[in-house]
Amino acid sequence: MARLDVPATIRRKRDGHELEADEIRAFFTAYLDGDVAEEQMSAFLMAGVIRGFTPDEAAAMTEVAVASGEVVDLSGLAGPTVDKHSTGGVGDTTTLVVAPILAACGLQVAKLSGRGLGHTGGTLDKLEAIPGFRVSLSPDEVTAQVTDIGLAVAAATADVVPLDKRLYALRDVTATVQSAALIAASVMSKKLAGGASTVLLDVKVGDGAFMTDLDDATELARQCVAIGQAHGRATGALITDMSQPLSHAIGNAVEVAHAVDVLTGERPGRFRDLCLELATAALVLTGRDPDDAAAATADALDSQAAADRFRAMVSAQGGDADIVDDPRAVLPDAPVVGTWQAPDGVLVDVDTRGLGALAGGLGAGRQRKEDDVDPTVGLEFWLEIGDDTTAIEPSVTIHASTGEDLDWARGRLEDLVTVGEGAVPPPLVHDRLLGEDPA
Amino acid sequence: MARLDVPATIRRKRDGHELEADEIRAFFTAYLDGDVAEEQMSAFLMAGVIRGFTPDEAAAMTEVAVASGEVVDLSGLAGPTVDKHSTGGVGDTTTLVVAPILAACGLQVAKLSGRGLGHTGGTLDKLEAIPGFRVSLSPDEVTAQVTDIGLAVAAATADVVPLDKRLYALRDVTATVQSAALIAASVMSKKLAGGASTVLLDVKVGDGAFMTDLDDATELARQCVAIGQAHGRATGALITDMSQPLSHAIGNAVEVAHAVDVLTGERPGRFRDLCLELATAALVLTGRDPDDAAAATADALDSQAAADRFRAMVSAQGGDADIVDDPRAVLPDAPVVGTWQAPDGVLVDVDTRGLGALAGGLGAGRQRKEDDVDPTVGLEFWLEIGDDTTAIEPSVTIHASTGEDLDWARGRLEDLVTVGEGAVPPPLVHDRLLGEDPA
């Protein structure tokens, strides 16, 4: 490889040129080695955010990122291994339902999650709402558990994709987060390092998601799928709606309770429907016929096979397995529970991001890495767009730590809900990228 | 002022918004204070290089830059004070002629120069080719000398515009040099800190200049003039040709010799013509009638008044004043002098940048700050575009330190000169911005 001329590489990206994969690899490798300074990387990233990166450029970045840390070896597992990743939204706890369904359908699910910042905790925080649940598993424990029961959800070790951690910290302070290619490279580097042979992305779009524009979300999905395919993984994406909360629960313990309700067949609706869509899509990516896959995932729920897998996972990871039988008895309660009723009319619009922030304000999420998440607090938002509010009481159940918080939440809700006449419920899934060629 | 949100400011520039002057001031002041990190500034600059900065934004940056260091106080001087700045080119030593002309016309010229990097040395290096010449003057010495004889050319002190030094070091490694607004802010911050009430820019365009495109050069000139006017200085610009060497000399001692030739009336031609254009423009900026100004500057040369001022300056700064009477006897000689003859025909094109690099290769310039400049080496390029090469012998006189260098230079010249049929000499001045409103 020719000697890297760092300013010349930045200049080419500044001027809108596509870089060769070799040059991208050399540039990011030099950054890891300390030969590209932080200020040079940030100038490069800004140029790319404005000028754009191609899928080939993103794939080359991803390659360096994956190689920067440990790669989980799942090759010892029998059958296809699968990972599912959501770009994040409000009331989005599909992993707790989809992973058991897939395990019940014979796939191997080894999911490594981060904690992240946000209005509610991440998947690990939600699972830790279950008394006794342990998310720190060694690589050997993960492999043994997946071999045994088909699934494990554990904390990513510190050494997975260190390049991504460095880049994210830099992008966060330099306004260079907003790039489909960079987000895709970040997401996919972690998925590829996670070792699964099949990767399904759930790219959220709407005011409760990171991407609020369908075109942007589609671009992100395409970039992710292209990167995954370039690295030899069966990769697909659903682009799903986040213009209202996905499930009726927003928080940690409340989201776990609703997920268990879906697993045990006691909660039909949008959240269950999307979990089945995602699980079916993952099965299709492993080569299953679509109709056959849909039947298999529905049967996994109806037969309680998925619920059994969830119980087995909770048990294996030290949690109280009674949660499947009576989640609300096992999960911790909030000190104060109250309700709020919307004005009479049809729910026309909801400020989904605002609902997330409200749950965050109650203590469900974290602003900084060192913050603690309160598992007990959150919302149950019982309305969906198009619902007649007079037919559903209460509109919202509020789980708070103090009466003062409860009053604050009631006051905020008035601003977040728009009631009027005539509303068209948004679709659950905007698009599916499950074919061979994402472009 | 509202609290600065650094990533939000970067984001707005990234998305192509014009920032308020207050926000620009806050951002650059925070950078000086260490509250904007290098990587944040480089991302901001890259966004601005791609999206553009307005003259108002550049003026606000310039204001912070000027205030970051010492400002020279010329208010004690009688009459208008003037500074002239060239954006740099090959064979460009107009300061040595223009400053004495202006002093002879009654203006006060206190010019602070830097050394810079380049194919040949800067104005200070050229003056130091004169035995004994001293460029380190204290602010009091500068003021006293200008009061006495009307001109001084000295080294800028270390504390002038430290912000510009920091920014330039950052821009150099992050491919964010190429922005008319940033270059204008850099140039003008130094001119404003230099304290002169009148500022004339000589913006060079052509393959021997930093700007090779006339539109880019015009934009730079407009930005500079707008900044100067926004700060209450009489500011104007000429956009002048650099598609061939300005004077016939490229080097240090050789350029001084040719400048003296012009001062003493022994060298008519393009170089003399441009010096008169620049001096006249500066006089016009101070309020003189254009015809009157042109007559005054020509008379300053014809009467030897300008030559006398130059002699007085050399004398005052410790140099050998005999240089005016016999420059080639006073200036140091190169160890080896040889010639080169172009093929027969009309000079159609010359690689001006290549000629500069050739002089640099002989030792006339510096690549790094700590390099020494060899005052004796350089070229005399006797041809101009449109000349019949058979009428001018030699085509080039080469001043080298060794015979090997001389041979190398002869070999290079073959590649830099294009001889053919029919050529249109470029204009000397492309445009003049001397009115009230540069936009």
Side-chain angles (χ1 to χ4, degrees):
Chain A
M1 198 179 301
R3 195 178 139 69
L4 179 70
D5 179 341
V6 175
T9 298
I10 301 172
R11 195 176 306 122
R12 273 196 290 283
K13 182 44 69 186
R14 178 194 79 192
D15 295 341
H17 301 292
E18 177 172 0
L19 305 183
E20 296 288 331
D22 267 356
E23 190 169 6
I24 289 275
R25 278 191 290 261
F27 192 83
F28 283 83
T29 302
Y31 176 66
L32 277 172
D33 293 345
D35 295 330
V36 167
E38 298 292 335
E39 55 267 30
Q40 293 177 313
M41 180 55 85
S42 70
F44 178 81
L45 293 174
M46 178 58 80
V49 167
I50 296 175
R51 299 297 196 186
F53 288 111
T54 65
D56 285 346
E57 291 178 318
M61 286 176 212
T62 306
E63 187 183 326
V64 178
V66 171
S68 73
E70 287 178 27
V71 175
V72 178
D73 181 6
L74 299 180
S75 60
L77 296 173
T81 51
V82 65
D83 196 351
K84 183 222 65 126
H85 179 81
S86 164
T87 59
V90 173
D92 175 18
T93 183
T94 53
T95 294
L96 271 51
V97 179
V98 174
I101 293 176
L102 293 175
C105 292
L107 300 191
Q108 317 280 310
V109 186
K111 182 158 175 58
L112 301 180
S113 286
R115 295 195 182 265
L117 308 178
H119 300 315
T120 65
T123 297
L124 300 181
D125 297 299
K126 292 170 190 171
L127 285 168
E128 284 182 334
I130 302 169
F133 197 96
R134 187 166 61 91
V135 298
S136 296
L137 302 183
S138 71
D140 285 350
E141 285 178 305
V142 169
T143 308
Q145 182 177 319
V146 175
T147 302
D148 195 25
I149 63 169
L151 81 164
V153 179
T157 69
D159 288 342
V160 172
V161 201
L163 173 58
D164 183 65
K165 292 188 186 72
R166 266 186 72 188
L167 284 176
Y168 192 81
L170 182 65
R171 289 167 60 206
D172 192 38
V173 298
T174 57
T176 50
V177 170
Q178 207 80 15
S179 152
L182 293 178
I183 298 168
S186 171
V187 165
M188 291 307 296
S189 63
K190 287 176 279 192
K191 295 299 106 182
L192 296 174
S197 60
T198 299
V199 178
L200 177 68
L201 287 310
D202 177 10
V203 178
K204 302 287 188 189
V205 61
D207 86 292
F210 184 67
M211 295 279 179
T212 56
D213 179 84
L214 183 56
D215 287 342
D216 291 344
T218 304
E219 172 66 11
L220 173 59
R222 284 188 173 147
Q223 290 259 12
C224 286
V225 173
I227 293 170
Q229 291 182 347
H231 287 83
R233 312 295 170 97
T235 311
L238 299 192
I239 299 164
T240 69
D241 189 69
M242 190 41 70
S243 61
Q244 61 181 329
L246 174 62
S247 77
H248 290 144
I250 309 168
N252 296 288
V254 286
E255 291 195 26
V256 173
H258 283 237
V260 171
D261 293 346
V262 170
L263 285 167
T264 53
E266 285 160 43
R267 193 170 297 281
R270 287 167 51 86
F271 176 44
R272 178 182 193 274
D273 293 347
L274 186 64
C275 290
L276 286 171
E277 282 268 9
L278 290 166
T280 301
L283 276 184
V284 168
L285 287 173
T286 66
R288 292 276 279 267
D289 168 77
D291 290 339
D292 177 42
T297 55
D299 185 62
L301 282 187
D302 295 342
S303 68
Q304 302 290 312
D308 287 345
R309 293 297 175 130
F310 183 76
R311 188 198 311 270
M313 177 179 81
V314 171
S315 209
Q317 294 188 229
D320 185 342
D322 288 346
I323 188 161
V324 178
D325 306 305
D326 191 351
R328 285 162 188 81
V330 169
L331 291 163
D333 293 322
V336 181
V337 178
T339 63
W340 179 79
Q341 188 64 28
D344 292 354
V346 170
L347 183 68
V348 172
D349 191 31
V350 54
D351 180 343
T352 310
R353 187 179 295 256
L355 283 184
L358 179 50
L362 291 171
R366 57 168 72 81
Q367 300 290 318
R368 294 166 306 174
K369 278 184 190 170
E370 57 274 22
D371 290 345
D372 279 331
V373 164
D374 183 343
T376 69
V377 299
L379 303 172
E380 289 174 285
F381 187 83
W382 300 109
L383 301 175
E384 297 182 15
I385 290 173
D387 281 349
D388 178 352
T389 63
T390 62
I392 297 168
E393 285 195 39
S395 302
V396 182
T397 305
I398 302 160
H399 302 255
S401 54
T402 66
E404 193 180 352
D405 280 4
L406 177 64
D407 293 340
W408 169 78
R410 283 175 170 144
R412 287 290 300 129
L413 282 165
E414 286 175 26
D415 297 331
L416 301 177
V417 165
T418 307
V419 170
E421 294 174 22
V424 181
L428 191 57
V429 177
H430 292 277
D431 205 356
R432 293 168 181 80
L433 305 180
L434 299 172
E436 279 303 299
D437 183 358
Chain B
M1 196 180 302
R3 196 177 138 70
L4 178 71
D5 179 342
V6 176
T9 298
I10 302 171
R11 196 176 304 120
R12 273 195 291 284
K13 182 45 68 187
R14 178 195 78 193
D15 295 341
H17 300 292
E18 177 172 0
L19 304 183
E20 296 288 333
D22 268 356
E23 190 169 5
I24 290 276
R25 278 191 289 260
F27 192 82
F28 282 84
T29 302
Y31 176 66
L32 277 171
D33 293 345
D35 295 330
V36 167
E38 298 292 336
E39 56 266 31
Q40 293 177 312
M41 180 56 84
S42 69
F44 177 82
L45 294 173
M46 178 57 81
V49 167
I50 297 175
R51 298 297 196 188
F53 289 111
T54 66
D56 286 347
E57 291 178 318
M61 286 175 210
T62 306
E63 188 183 327
V64 178
V66 171
S68 73
E70 286 178 28
V71 175
V72 178
D73 181 7
L74 299 180
S75 60
L77 296 173
T81 50
V82 65
D83 196 352
K84 183 221 66 123
H85 179 82
S86 163
T87 59
V90 174
D92 174 19
T93 185
T94 55
T95 293
L96 271 51
V97 179
V98 174
I101 293 176
L102 292 175
C105 292
L107 300 190
Q108 317 279 309
V109 185
K111 181 158 175 61
L112 301 180
S113 286
R115 293 192 184 267
L117 307 178
H119 299 315
T120 65
T123 297
L124 301 181
D125 296 300
K126 292 170 190 171
L127 285 168
E128 285 182 334
I130 302 170
F133 198 95
R134 187 167 61 93
V135 298
S136 295
L137 302 183
S138 72
D140 285 349
E141 284 178 306
V142 169
T143 308
Q145 183 176 322
V146 175
T147 302
D148 194 26
I149 62 169
L151 79 164
V153 180
T157 68
D159 287 343
V160 172
V161 203
L163 173 58
D164 184 66
K165 292 188 185 70
R166 266 185 71 189
L167 283 176
Y168 192 81
L170 181 65
R171 289 166 59 207
D172 192 38
V173 298
T174 57
T176 50
V177 169
Q178 206 81 15
S179 151
L182 293 177
I183 297 168
S186 172
V187 166
M188 291 307 295
S189 64
K190 287 175 280 193
K191 295 299 107 183
L192 296 173
S197 59
T198 299
V199 177
L200 177 68
L201 287 310
D202 178 9
V203 178
K204 302 288 188 188
V205 61
D207 87 292
F210 185 67
M211 295 280 179
T212 56
D213 179 84
L214 183 57
D215 287 342
D216 291 345
T218 304
E219 171 67 11
L220 172 59
R222 283 189 172 146
Q223 290 260 12
C224 286
V225 173
I227 293 170
Q229 292 182 347
H231 287 83
R233 312 294 171 97
T235 311
L238 300 191
I239 299 164
T240 69
D241 189 70
M242 190 42 70
S243 61
Q244 61 182 328
L246 175 61
S247 77
H248 290 145
I250 308 169
N252 296 288
V254 286
E255 290 195 27
V256 173
H258 282 237
V260 171
D261 292 345
V262 170
L263 285 167
T264 54
E266 286 160 43
R267 193 172 297 281
R270 285 168 52 88
F271 176 44
R272 178 182 192 275
D273 294 345
L274 186 65
C275 290
L276 286 170
E277 281 268 8
L278 290 166
T280 301
L283 276 183
V284 168
L285 285 173
T286 67
R288 291 279 279 268
D289 169 77
D291 289 340
D292 176 43
T297 54
D299 184 63
L301 283 186
D302 293 342
S303 69
Q304 302 290 311
D308 288 344
R309 294 296 174 131
F310 183 76
R311 187 198 312 269
M313 178 179 80
V314 171
S315 209
Q317 295 188 228
D320 185 342
D322 288 345
I323 188 158
V324 178
D325 306 305
D326 192 351
R328 285 163 187 81
V330 169
L331 290 164
D333 293 323
V336 181
V337 178
T339 62
W340 179 79
Q341 188 65 29
D344 291 355
V346 171
L347 182 68
V348 172
D349 190 32
V350 53
D351 180 342
T352 310
R353 186 180 296 257
L355 284 184
L358 178 50
L362 292 170
R366 56 168 73 80
Q367 300 290 319
R368 295 166 306 174
K369 279 183 189 170
E370 57 275 20
D371 289 347
D372 279 330
V373 165
D374 182 343
T376 69
V377 300
L379 303 172
E380 290 174 285
F381 188 82
W382 300 109
L383 301 174
E384 296 182 17
I385 290 173
D387 282 348
D388 178 352
T389 63
T390 61
I392 296 168
E393 286 195 38
S395 302
V396 182
T397 305
I398 302 160
H399 303 254
S401 54
T402 66
E404 193 179 353
D405 281 3
L406 177 65
D407 292 340
W408 169 80
R410 284 176 170 144
R412 289 288 300 128
L413 282 164
E414 286 175 26
D415 297 330
L416 302 176
V417 165
T418 307
V419 171
E421 294 175 24
V424 181
L428 191 58
V429 177
H430 291 277
D431 205 356
R432 293 168 180 81
L433 304 181
L434 299 172
E436 279 303 298
D437 184 358

